[in-house]
Amino acid sequence: MAILAKGGCRCDVNPVRYEYSATPAEVHYCLCTDCTDTCGGALALIAVVERSAFKITAGEDKIRNFDTKPTCHRRFCKDCGCHMFLYVDAFPDHLLIHIPTLDRDAEVGAQPDRWVFVNSKHPMLTIPEDGLPRHPGWANSGDPVQAA
Ligand SMILES: [Zn+2]
Ligand SMILES: [Zn+2]
């Protein structure tokens, strides 16, 4: 399925803009402390996208990096602080996109299939009874993306 999902940072002037043009390998909810503490949110909604289908279309000079682990490289805008996506060494062919930084009318291309790192859940968050599998740490969805 051909899709084109576009997103970016929160800057009004010269925003970072990115897009991807392939159906994500998977979408999941992440409750790890790296994601939640970096975003200031109780959960992260992640699309795993092939790097070859992803490109930055504007504002690349504003992107900075913060490693929450030596193997986990998080990209954010230096002006507005928006954390848009990250690269994980264990997934050399994919990157992980924070879905809320997509435009709200963007076609993400897949639905969440599981919760991961539920052992790291913030105590004020209640996971909804959505019937999706809940994994204590990282877990594969059975697709080409391998476990860290
Ligand atoms: Zn920005
Ligand atoms: Zn995470």
Side-chain angles (χ1 to χ4, degrees):
M1 181 175 65
I3 64 167
L4 184 60
K6 298 181 180 183
C9 77
R10 298 301 300 267
C11 286
D12 290 328
V13 178
N14 188 27
V16 177
R17 295 291 294 168
Y18 70 81
E19 62 188 42
Y20 62 82
S21 58
T23 302
E26 57 168 81
V27 169
H28 62 263
Y29 294 105
C30 187
L31 301 177
C32 85
T33 52
D34 278 9
C35 282
T36 59
D37 295 14
T38 307
C39 296
L43 63 84
L45 183 51
I46 300 284
V48 181
V49 172
E50 289 177 47
R51 294 188 190 188
S52 61
F54 173 84
K55 63 180 175 186
I56 294 157
T57 55
E60 187 161 11
D61 60 312
K62 297 172 70 168
I63 297 174
R64 296 295 182 270
N65 179 73
F66 180 73
D67 290 347
T68 46
K69 289 183 175 61
T71 57
C72 184
H73 317 292
R74 294 178 180 268
R75 301 296 207 270
F76 62 94
C77 172
K78 73 177 179 67
D79 288 345
C80 67
C82 180
H83 173 32
M84 295 164 281
F85 45 87
L86 63 147
Y87 297 88
V88 179
D89 290 353
F91 310 144
D93 298 327
H94 294 80
L95 80 163
L96 283 68
I97 294 174
H98 283 280
I99 289 173
T101 69
L102 289 168
D103 299 340
R104 280 296 163 96
D105 61 354
E107 182 185 13
V108 177
Q111 291 295 313
D113 68 2
R114 67 197 188 284
W115 294 76
V116 299
F117 291 105
V118 298
N119 280 4
S120 302
K121 183 184 79 64
H122 191 280
M124 293 184 80
L125 177 71
T126 300
I127 301 175
E129 295 294 339
D130 56 10
L132 297 179
R134 302 177 185 187
H135 300 285
W138 174 255
N140 254 334
S141 64
D143 62 31
V145 178
Q146 297 301 306

